[in-house]
Amino acid sequence: MAKLARWCFQHRWLVLGLWVAALVGLAALGRATGDDYKDTFSLPGTDSQKAIDILERDFPAQSGDSATVVLHARTGTLTDPAIKAQVTDMVGQLAKLPHVAEVISPFSADGKGQINEAGTTAFATLALDLPGNELQISDIEHVVDTARDYDKGALQVEATGQVVANTEQTTSSTELIGIIAAAIILFVAFGSLLAVTLPLITALAALGVGLNLIIQVSHLTSVAEFSTMLATLIGLGVGIDYALFIVNRHRIGLRAGRSPEEAAVNAVNTSGRAVLFAGATVCIALLGLFALGVTFLYGVALAAALTVAMTMLSSVTLLPALLGFYGQKVLSRRERRRIAEHGPEPEAPSGFWWRWAKGVERRPAVLAVLSAVAIAVIAIPFFSLRLGSSDLGNGSEDKTTKRGYDLLAEGFGPGFNGPFSLVTDLSSGAGLQALNQAVAAARDTPGVASVTEPRQSPNGRAAIATLYPTSSPQSPETAKLLDRLRDDVIPTATAGAAAPVYVGGITAIFEDFAGVLSDKLPLFIGIVVVLAFILLVVVFRSLLIPLTASVMNLLAVGAAFGAVVAVFQWGWLSDLFGLSPGPIEAFLPVMLFAILFGLSMDYEVFLVSRMHEEWTARRDNRIAVSLGQAETGRVISAAGAIMTLVFAAFILGDERVIKLFGLGLALAIAIDAFVIRTILVPALMHLFGRANWWLPRGLDRVLPRVSVETSDDLAEAHQVPVPSDDYRDGVPAQPHESAESERTH
């Protein structure tokens, strides 16, 4: 690391040029190729996937995109001549628009059943000639605007459907808000405007390269639309934090009298190593998503891991080059003037963080219990977690899709927005008997509002019937109905049939998705925890520290899940966030766990690596823990505040999924930085004593030697004076006094 840092410092113009060239070149390439983001996934072996396969083969119209125009009579009924004339004229205008292949009016022969019994609510269906991701937003907006122009007088007109929802996604300035908040905290921490720009430039350069690389990755594999937003969220947070840790170490070196080059080399050789270990843990956690076997998450994991990798690379290459340009100006004018007048000032623990560390040392048991109980209370809602998928009904009331969704639910029943599809394959020569039997049995099943008559595909190779539940798509009763249909009703009704009847539809797809992820979640958590545990054992030569870190990270994740459930599922403060309560997205637990487990390891590595320096130099657990906490407390709290605010800024975004990630990540990082790393972990390490650093001799011999500290750092740590309140009978505590009593092996 020292050689790399020195080379980058001495060849700073070349390094800067390479980063600028990469950024400009990849941006130009991305503009030339365009992106190919796709929100597609498959669930092999599930009923819903088998139904999709049949529909795509024999009912291409059933698997394509469409939009729904919802009509509601504010007064009277829709059959009143004046209102009916408005609707007829609107349908005619919509049919003339580009990309509208067909419009089925509720007053046409094909539209039978598209008006409710009261005659107050109806809908017109629009078949589009292209998939939603191939349509221009302006074309969809033209359709919506044309329909909404008829919303006047007694007629209310709304447009709903996923295609319409694409036009309601607004571009927000959440990233800018997060950057401004980070800049303010950096200025408070550094006291220098120039120093503030270093972490920001480093993070933004890495983010720019990473996002442009993701564009190219989207041509190689399926990458979801929201992957770039998620990558931005993670990249900004970790990029600024990683650079902050290195810049902080560099400033300490300058104040201690090192030259800018030596300070930069030392910072990268110490904090830079910690950055690589921490970043590697984040990437391991993210790439662990491949263990789930769900292709939808592969692109998301690759995008996020690629962005984190770029932040690691920029921190150990671009940052030392920038430090070469800045020289002594990384320090504030006051600090430079003080050094000129009084000479170098080696870092020594003092002030608030030393007093705080000594307070934790004096009452470790009480503080450990109180902090653990507080985290456990926040995590309680997690045990009510219900996986599923939000839909247009969870949107804000100011959106036409939300209003249209509610009108359909009120006019046709809650289950109208999430019907099931009963699908069977007739290509083997089987007739409609099995599907007819399934339909008859389903109609007599509690929780079923209605089932349409079966109809065959144009080629006669498949048949489909639509089942409407009495409950909404997000209701637990709908999930129970799905299980009852699949496990009991349909198998019993079709026993001995030549072809099975599959239950599909969008609601069934999300239930299957939740089931697949829930089944594989223990394996995923086990893989990530074990890999991170092994990495920390190698770095810190300890069994107890990695075990404690794993448990602490799980606590932080549990607290994040608890907050997410309370707000997004129970509806606490939902008005403040502009959303309606509903189930938690099925993929959120695995994604949130992967991200949070990795990010939590960041602070563990930075905190314990400093403690490990002191332990290796002094062999005194008490001094090592207190000094390590005192010397990292300020920078970890600043880093935690930055990451918390960057993540919290995304709560202000428009997409519910991003709001979920923003709240979960912000709260988890706040708890991790300000409770777990400043209270719980140091308190437990004081209670565990020398057991923290125990490693069996046999295991110590076979494990590779990987260290965050260098020999120079250990020598420096040995010289760090212990503040006066650690003196005993007026004599400073000597490192050798506890070396024998606390030597582990």
Side-chain angles (χ1 to χ4, degrees), residues 8-86:
C8 291
F9 188 97
Q10 294 175 348
H11 300 84
R12 45 189 173 272
W13 281 108
L14 176 59
V15 174
L16 180 61
L18 289 174
W19 272 95
V20 171
L23 190 57
V24 174
L26 286 170
L29 180 62
R31 182 177 291 273
T33 61
D35 62 64
D36 190 24
Y37 299 126
K38 296 182 289 289
D39 293 328
T40 57
F41 65 92
S42 62
L43 301 169
T46 62
D47 262 26
S48 56
Q49 185 62 50
K50 293 173 183 176
I52 289 174
D53 293 340
I54 294 173
L55 292 176
E56 288 180 342
R57 185 193 69 192
D58 301 315
F59 283 95
Q62 290 290 130
S63 59
D65 276 310
S66 63
T68 302
V69 175
V70 185
L71 311 164
H72 178 70
R74 293 188 174 99
T75 59
T77 66
L78 293 171
T79 55
D80 292 347
I83 297 179
K84 186 174 181 179
Q86 280 183 272

Side-chain angles (χ1 to χ4, degrees), residues 121-136:
T121 304
F123 62 93
T125 56
L126 281 72
L128 305 174
D129 62 1
L130 289 174
N133 58 357
E134 296 181 18
L135 290 168
Q136 295 292 326

Side-chain angles (χ1 to χ4, degrees), residues 225 427 631:
E225 285 275 1
S427 59
E631 293 191 9

Side-chain angles (χ1 to χ4, degrees), residues 369-594:
V369 170
L370 289 177
S371 56
V373 169
I375 296 171
V377 169
I378 297 174
I380 287 175
F382 167 66
F383 296 100
S384 300
L385 175 68
R386 182 167 64 86
L387 299 180
S389 177
S390 61
D391 53 31
L392 300 177
N394 293 111
S396 173
E397 291 289 347
D398 61 357
K399 294 182 177 181
T400 184
T401 51
K402 162 68 172 172
R403 296 192 297 268
Y405 180 100
D406 290 344
L407 285 174
L408 289 175
E410 293 168 6
F412 295 91
F416 187 82
N417 286 297
F420 294 132
S421 299
L422 306 184
V423 181
T424 189
D425 188 350
L426 306 179
S427 59
S428 62
L432 285 172
Q433 182 181 1
L435 185 56
N436 286 329
Q437 291 171 339
V439 168
R443 284 172 175 164
D444 294 331
T445 302
V448 175
S450 63
V451 187
T452 65
E453 289 296 326
R455 61 188 181 91
Q456 288 184 257
S457 62
N459 60 14
R461 298 180 60 192
I464 183 174
T466 303
L467 182 152
Y468 295 99
T470 57
S471 50
S472 69
Q474 299 178 13
S475 170
E477 297 305 316
T478 304
K480 294 176 183 177
L481 173 63
L482 177 63
D483 292 337
R484 194 158 58 247
L485 289 170
R486 286 176 170 174
D487 299 338
D488 181 28
V489 176
I490 292 178
T492 301
T494 60
V501 175
Y502 303 113
V503 183
I506 191 66
T507 304
I509 289 172
F510 286 122
E511 289 296 333
D512 286 342
F513 190 31
V516 169
L517 293 183
S518 298
D519 291 343
K520 295 184 178 181
L521 186 59
L523 172 65
F524 166 67
I525 291 176
I527 290 174
V528 172
V529 171
V530 168
L531 289 177
F533 178 86
I534 293 172
L535 183 62
L536 291 183
V537 169
V538 171
V539 173
F540 296 126
R541 322 302 293 180
S542 164
L543 292 180
L544 192 55
I545 287 175
L547 179 61
T548 304
S550 298
V551 174
M552 295 302 100
N553 293 348
L554 291 174
L555 279 177
V557 173
F561 285 161
V564 165
V565 169
V567 174
F568 290 87
Q569 183 176 312
W570 291 358
W572 293 6
L573 303 177
S574 57
D575 291 340
L576 178 64
F577 294 107
L579 48 85
S580 300
I584 305 303
E585 266 66 15
F587 61 86
L588 183 102
V590 293
M591 287 296 302
L592 206 57
F593 175 83

